[in-house]
Amino acid sequence: MPTRESIENLISRYSLGYDTADFDAIDVCFSDDAVFRMTLPGNEPVVFDGKDAILSLMKQSAESQTDQRRHVNSNLIVHGTEDGVTRTTHYLTLLATENGEIRVLSAGVYRLEIIGDDDDPRLRTLDLELDRPY
């Protein structure tokens, strides 16, 4: 079972990897069978099934952005581990800097399922419910 510290490090590696376009760092954060579900208000979830689909989404999104993104994670709750899966909930605040101005793009709630142990935790399921489209 991963410790709180290793869970926080995993979440931070994922976010920093995206913010710095380090897709190798992102790659090692996911299990091969990972699923990412993103829900925008009033819409059904958009599902990316498998690590390759998630990485493709991340790369395409990063390439289309002209600003510098910063993913700020907070209010982490570790619900516990059952059957080898650790479940967590935390907030996301998404910031963007462009032309010297910082703005809040969106905020939301992540619900994660993490597998592996303290030495090698991996994201298996990411459910992101955003408060507004970004």
Side-chain angles (χ1 to χ4, degrees):
M1 168 174 127
T3 63
R4 181 181 184 90
E5 179 180 9
S6 68
I7 291 167
E8 289 175 347
N9 286 338
L10 174 64
I11 292 167
S12 294
R13 283 195 321 272
Y14 160 66
S15 295
L16 286 168
Y18 185 87
D19 293 344
T20 60
D22 184 347
F23 298 105
D24 290 335
I26 295 171
D27 181 82
V28 298
C29 291
F30 290 97
S31 66
D32 290 337
D33 61 346
V35 175
F36 177 37
R37 286 185 285 271
M38 183 170 36
T39 306
L40 299 173
N43 293 295
E44 292 296 315
V46 178
V47 180
F48 301 90
D49 197 359
K51 182 184 351 185
D52 291 340
I54 296 167
L55 288 172
S56 179
L57 164 71
M58 302 282 171
K59 289 176 184 176
Q60 288 175 359
S61 295
E63 289 170 0
S64 71
Q65 296 161 0
T66 59
D67 54 19
Q68 174 60 62
R69 300 288 165 101
R70 299 287 186 226
H71 290 73
V72 180
N73 300 290
S74 62
N75 298 25
L76 175 66
I77 298 170
V78 178
H79 300 288
T81 301
E82 186 177 315
D83 298 325
V85 178
T86 302
R87 289 174 176 75
T88 68
T89 303
H90 73 274
Y91 286 157
L92 166 70
T93 304
L94 181 58
L95 305 173
T97 302
E98 191 167 32
N99 300 321
E101 293 192 27
I102 299 173
R103 58 193 168 96
V104 176
L105 294 182
S106 191
V109 176
Y110 265 114
R111 290 177 181 81
L112 306 178
E113 290 184 353
I114 299 167
I115 60 170
D117 59 21
D118 203 36
D119 294 326
D120 190 29
R122 302 284 177 127
L123 297 165
R124 185 178 81 175
T125 304
L126 295 86
D127 283 306
L128 174 59
E129 292 180 36
L130 291 170
D131 297 341
R132 59 170 271 179
Y134 63 98

